[in-house]
Amino acid sequence: MADLDPSLPLYEALKWDADGMIPAIAQDAAGRIVMFAYMNRESLAETLACGNAVYWSRSRRRLWRKGEESGHFQKILGIRTDCDGDVLLLTIEQVGGIACHTGRASCFFNELQGDRWVPVDPVIKDPKDIYQ
């Protein structure tokens, strides 16, 4: 796989998949991975313009402004790409401390224990109180 070509303009340097998507990992400033989603050119452009994370919702088939319903926005602190230019890493400030729709700090709260997935992180706020 070819390395990212830094001489190319922003969008052309990235490797978009056949659907025009690129994986995006959201990581807080302390280094904890809180979320994974996809972005397309439009969502990346809006993210850059507004300073908050905007993703492409594959299930809703539309832009998803993280926090639009919950109030748990992700303020962008920095954006990096890997050496191939096919994954984005967003360093974010997670407003309200909740990134997951389950009311947890991170979507990565299930841990493999033996042959079972066990939720190991606490629910910070009941989702019924978030999404009314």
Side-chain angles (χ1 to χ4, degrees):
M1 187 167 266
D3 288 344
L4 176 89
D5 183 348
S7 69
L8 292 174
L10 166 68
Y11 298 100
E12 286 72 28
L14 297 174
K15 293 182 180 69
W16 306 91
D17 72 12
D19 295 321
M21 304 289 183
I22 191 167
I25 300 165
Q27 178 180 29
D28 68 20
R32 182 175 189 185
I33 303 295
V34 297
M35 213 182 81
F36 169 85
Y38 286 91
M39 298 179 100
N40 61 12
R41 289 173 191 246
E42 184 181 6
S43 65
L44 179 54
E46 188 160 330
T47 295
L48 295 172
C50 74
N52 288 327
V54 179
Y55 301 103
W56 177 258
S57 172
R58 295 182 304 161
S59 60
R60 297 178 213 153
R61 310 277 313 147
R62 67 171 178 84
L63 289 179
W64 165 37
R65 292 159 187 84
K66 177 67 176 152
E68 66 190 351
E69 294 175 24
S70 66
H72 300 137
F73 297 94
Q74 292 177 340
K75 293 182 182 178
I76 300 297
L77 303 177
I79 301 177
R80 292 181 179 224
T81 186
D82 69 334
C83 56
D84 298 320
D86 60 3
V87 177
L88 297 175
L89 177 63
L90 311 179
T91 303
I92 56 102
E93 175 190 331
Q94 183 63 60
V95 175
I98 297 173
C100 187
H101 74 281
T102 66
R104 292 177 171 88
S106 171
C107 294
F108 295 92
F109 60 85
N110 289 305
E111 180 177 81
L112 184 59
Q113 295 182 5
D115 65 349
R116 302 275 185 222
W117 293 104
V118 178
V120 295
D121 293 347
V123 172
I124 296 169
K125 190 171 187 179
D126 189 319
K128 288 180 265 173
D129 296 331
I130 298 172
Y131 304 98
Q132 299 176 20

